[in-house]
Amino acid sequence: NFQSAVVFPNKISTEQQSLMLVKRLLAVAVSCITYLRGIFPESAYGTRYMDDVCVKILREDKNCPGSTQLVKWMLGCYDALQKKYLRMIVLAVYTHPEDPQTITECYHFKFKYTHNGPLLDFSSNNRRNDSTITCADTKKASILLIRKIYVLMQNLSPLPNDVCLTMKLFYYDEVTPSDYQPPGFKEGECEGMIFEGEPMYLNVGEVPTPFHMLKVKVTTEKQRMENVDKSILKHGETNVPLQVLRVDRDDPEE
């Protein structure tokens, strides 16, 4: 069965079309990361296609409570995104169950909103005129982003055997009701996290639509990068697919 993980419309002309595409792309990114990092067993994933790229999509598996929990978290993210409250998602991996604040790897998804609609954004550089973004641009960037995630995840050294996941959501306080929490979340006790080891910061890629911008960042232990082919750590942009992974140590928002 050839089932598509993300359906690209011929034209992204409404906020709803854009929102649906970004939700699906977020699901693909989170699924690919957890699959390739060995977080959940094979049974917790279904196989889909994004154009000609085969991707694994997380699903609720009764034999894997963790996958069911992460699917519920994603639904909570969608609720906050739809209401335009969500500022950032941090999906973090930690190794000591009693200490979720000390993490060993994490993935950032940041959001901004335009008057046209939600803007899933990780970089204030390269601001584009949204009227020039075509669906072809969005499709090409989406496929490239997922390929880059695959390349990076397959090259990183494995995580420790027993790991836990946590997800933190950050909001735009000026528009978010003080008592708001999406389904599956509670108010956090602490915003900060401590990184175990020496962190390395990577910008993986970004996807523009007329209403959104999605960019994925990864922070991992520097030693896990030792086996990564240096060609995928080139600074700056390149036309060769899969080679753009830029070390980012200067983000003022981090």
Side-chain angles (χ1 to χ4, degrees):
N1 292 335
F2 189 91
Q3 290 183 285
S4 183
V6 178
V7 178
F8 295 97
N10 292 329
K11 188 175 183 204
I12 301 168
S13 53
T14 68
E15 181 181 332
Q16 194 56 38
Q17 283 178 313
S18 180
L19 186 63
M20 180 60 70
L21 193 149
V22 171
K23 285 180 180 178
R24 294 278 177 87
L25 196 55
L26 189 60
V28 173
V30 169
S31 297
C32 289
I33 287 166
T34 57
Y35 179 78
L36 292 164
R37 296 309 272 142
I39 306 282
F40 302 120
E42 184 85 30
S43 61
Y45 298 87
T47 301
R48 298 286 185 273
Y49 290 86
M50 207 168 97
D51 204 40
D52 59 346
V53 180
C54 180
V55 295
K56 296 291 185 177
I57 300 294
L58 192 67
R59 59 187 177 191
E60 294 186 77
D61 176 6
K62 63 180 185 299
N63 297 317
C64 180
S67 70
T68 301
Q69 181 65 62
L70 184 51
V71 168
K72 287 179 179 171
W73 287 348
M74 294 297 290
L75 294 175
C77 294
Y78 295 164
D79 185 82
L81 176 61
Q82 209 149 332
K83 291 180 167 72
K84 305 182 185 180
Y85 297 159
L86 190 57
R87 179 167 63 88
M88 179 168 65
I89 300 169
V90 178
L91 180 65
V93 179
Y94 61 102
T95 55
H96 308 294
E98 73 289 348
D99 182 17
Q101 300 303 126
T102 301
I103 63 173
T104 188
E105 195 162 281
C106 70
Y107 307 90
H108 283 133
F109 304 87
K110 292 181 191 170
F111 301 80
K112 290 182 183 175
Y113 301 88
T114 68
H115 64 282
N116 285 332
L119 182 68
L120 181 44
D121 177 39
F122 296 81
S123 169
S124 54
N125 313 328
N126 308 326
R127 203 38 69 216
R128 291 188 177 94
N129 178 350
D130 60 15
S131 64
T132 65
I133 297 166
T134 67
C135 195
D137 295 331
T138 300
K139 182 176 180 179
K140 181 179 178 182
S142 299
I143 292 165
L144 188 58
L145 174 71
I146 298 306
R147 284 180 173 164
K148 286 177 186 175
I149 288 174
Y150 263 76
V151 168
L152 177 59
M153 297 297 113
Q154 287 173 328
N155 278 275
L156 287 179
S157 299
L159 289 167
N161 284 335
D162 295 316
V163 297
C164 306
L165 280 182
T166 184
M167 184 180 277
K168 290 179 183 284
L169 305 186
F170 297 81
Y171 306 113
Y172 287 104
D173 293 336
E174 62 273 19
V175 295
T176 307
S178 58
D179 61 348
Y180 172 77
Q181 292 298 340
F185 289 85
K186 63 180 181 179
E187 186 168 354
E189 296 169 4
C190 175
E191 282 193 14
M193 290 182 173
I194 301 162
F195 197 87
E196 197 170 23
E198 186 179 355
M200 179 168 263
Y201 308 96
L202 300 165
N203 282 334
V204 183
E206 60 183 43
V207 177
T209 86
F211 296 87
H212 297 74
M213 174 75 79
L214 162 63
K215 187 173 174 184
V216 178
K217 284 187 175 183
V218 177
T219 308
T220 190
E221 163 62 59
K222 191 174 182 182
Q223 286 185 332
R224 290 190 198 119
M225 298 293 298
E226 287 177 356
N227 299 326
V228 174
D229 183 341
K230 294 299 179 280
S231 69
I232 68 169
L233 288 176
K234 291 187 182 299
H235 290 255
E237 298 296 323
T238 170
N239 292 325
V240 182
L242 309 182
Q243 290 195 331
V244 189
L245 281 177
R246 192 163 58 254
V247 179
D248 177 25
R249 298 183 179 278
D250 304 311
D251 186 340
E253 291 188 14
E254 291 305 324

